[in-house]
Amino acid sequence: PLYNIIYVCFRSKLYMADLESGLHYLLRVELATHKTLEGAELKTFKDFVTISAKLFPGRPPVVKLLETLQEWLVSLPLDKIPYDAILDLISGIFLTKRVQWVGCQGSRAELRGYTCSLWKLFHTLTVQAALQPKVSQPLTKQGLPAVRYIQHFFGCKACAQHFEEMAKESMDSVKTLEKAVLWLWEKHNVVNNRLAGDLSEDPKFPKVQWPTPDLCPACHEEIKGLHSWNEDQVLQFMKNHYNSENILYKYTE
Ligand code: FAD
C-alpha cells in the first residue's frame, strides 16, 4: 500500500540536520568533558578532524569549519591543547544554530538523538572513505576513525567498552576500505541485536537487523532454509544509503 511505501521512503532518508547536529554535539558537548587534550586522545582527535575535513559531505560553511580546525590543530606545536582553545576557534564559526534531530528524533526526549547521529556520521565517513580511496587511503592507515573516536571520547562508557571488545576481536582482519564499511555495518547489527527489547529501545523504532527486507530485498537470501546476508548487495546498499546524494537538506518540522 501507498502508506507503506511512504513510510519506507521516510525511514530510508539520511538528513543533513542529523549529521551536522551530531558533529555539533560531538565538538561542543562531548569534547567539552575533556578539559585538556593530549597524547593518544589528542592524536585521535586530530585524525578525526583531518578525516572529517576531507570526507564529511557537508555544506560549504561546515566543511570550512572543519578545514580551519584541522589547519589550526596541525600548525600548533603544542603537545597539550586546552578544550577552551578549541571552543574559541569553533564558537565564532557557524556550524548549526542548534541541535536538531530529524531522522534521529526519538518518540521521547531521552531516546535516540546523539547516539543515532553518531552511528550515521561514522557510517557516512566510512562509506565516503570507500568511495574516495585516493583521498582516504593515507588517512585511514591507523584503523577506523569510528573505533578510535569511540574508544577515547564516547560519553557512554559501557557502550564504548562493548564496542572496544568487538574491535579487539576482529578489527585486524579489516584490510580494505570496503571491508571497513561492512565491518561497521555488521557490528552495528550486533549492537542492534543486543539492545532489542532493552529499556533504551524506542518503541516507535524497534531494533532490527538492518537493512530490513523492505529497504533492501536483495540483501537477504535464504540458504538451506536459513537467513543469510548477500554482502555484495549490502555493500552496494550502504554505498547508496550513506552517499552524499542520498542526504536531504530540507525537512518539515
Ligand atoms: P541506531 O542503532 O542509533 O541507528 C541509527 C540509524 O542507523 C538507524 O535508524 C538506521 O537508519 C541505521 N542503521 C541501523 N542499523 C544499521 C547498520 N547495521 N548499519 C548501518 N546503518 C544502520 N546503547 C546501549 O544502551 N548500550 C550499548 O552498549 C550501546 N552501544 C553503542 C555503541 C556505539 C558505538 C554507538 C554509536 C551507540 C551505542 N549505543 C548503545 C546506542 C544505541 O546503539 C543506539 O544508538 C540508540 O539506542 C538509539 O537507537 P536508534 O533507534 O536511533 O538506532
Side-chain angles (χ1 to χ4, degrees):
L2 185 62
Y3 176 78
N4 232 355
I5 295 169
I6 295 170
Y7 181 61
V8 168
C9 287
F10 168 74
R11 278 190 310 150
S12 63
K13 297 296 179 205
L14 187 59
Y15 291 90
M16 185 50 90
D18 291 314
L19 299 177
E20 286 186 1
S21 295
L23 253 185
H24 181 97
Y25 189 96
L26 183 157
L27 291 171
R28 290 283 181 89
V29 182
E30 196 151 65
L31 207 65
T33 61
H34 298 245
K35 292 291 164 230
T36 317
L37 300 187
E38 60 184 309
E41 268 186 2
L42 180 58
K43 170 136 191 26
T44 298
F45 182 61
K46 277 186 181 172
D47 289 349
F48 172 75
V49 172
T50 304
I51 284 174
S52 304
K54 291 270 191 278
L55 297 174
F56 184 65
R59 293 173 303 126
V62 175
V63 174
K64 185 82 203 137
L65 162 76
L66 291 166
E67 285 170 356
T68 308
L69 186 56
Q70 190 231 339
E71 283 159 18
W72 179 78
L73 283 169
V74 169
S75 66
L76 271 188
L78 304 174
D79 46 13
K80 265 188 194 178
I81 300 186
Y83 173 71
D84 282 350
I86 298 174
L87 188 64
D88 278 350
L89 187 92
I90 59 180
S91 56
I93 308 170
F94 173 81
L95 181 51
T96 175
K97 271 187 239 141
R98 63 201 161 106
V99 165
Q100 170 75 60
W101 309 121
V102 181
C104 284
Q105 178 67 51
S107 62
R108 295 200 308 272
E110 71 278 17
L111 297 171
R112 310 194 70 223
Y114 177 58
T115 60
C116 166
S117 73
L118 196 62
W119 277 121
K120 291 187 181 192
L121 183 60
F122 283 127
H123 287 300
T124 303
L125 290 174
T126 313
V127 166
Q128 292 303 316
L131 292 173
Q132 302 170 60
K134 278 209 186 104
V135 178
S136 54
Q137 217 102 45
L139 304 174
T140 46
K141 286 220 157 43
Q142 286 148 19
L144 268 178
V147 174
R148 294 174 53 227
Y149 179 84
I150 284 160
Q151 273 174 349
H152 289 288
F153 295 104
F154 194 23
C156 168
K157 295 297 169 214
C159 308
Q161 201 185 334
H162 282 132
F163 194 67
E164 169 75 8
E165 280 161 20
M166 292 195 290
K168 256 197 215 142
E169 268 171 28
S170 55
M171 257 316 285
D172 286 350
S173 63
V174 178
K175 301 283 186 231
T176 66
L177 295 167
E178 295 196 326
K179 286 269 186 269
V181 171
L182 286 173
W183 187 87
L184 198 59
W185 158 76
E186 199 198 329
K187 296 310 167 204
H188 191 168
N189 269 344
V190 172
V191 176
N192 291 342
N193 190 39
R194 185 161 46 78
L195 296 180
D198 189 82
L199 273 181
S200 64
E201 182 180 55
D202 189 326
K204 296 262 164 59
F205 295 87
K207 301 277 184 241
V208 288
Q209 292 299 286
W210 193 95
T212 49
D214 53 353
L215 286 179
C216 178
C219 293
H220 298 264
E221 284 178 349
E222 210 179 280
I223 298 175
K224 293 185 184 155
L226 291 177
H227 176 268
S228 140
W229 291 102
N230 179 325
E231 293 200 348
D232 291 340
Q233 294 291 334
V234 171
L235 181 62
Q236 205 45 53
F237 182 84
M238 291 289 286
K239 284 182 171 176
N240 291 334
H241 184 77
Y242 290 103
N243 197 301
S244 51
E245 283 174 13
N246 195 39
I247 299 177
L248 284 182
Y249 290 81
K250 290 208 168 90
Y251 53 91
T252 43
E253 283 190 65

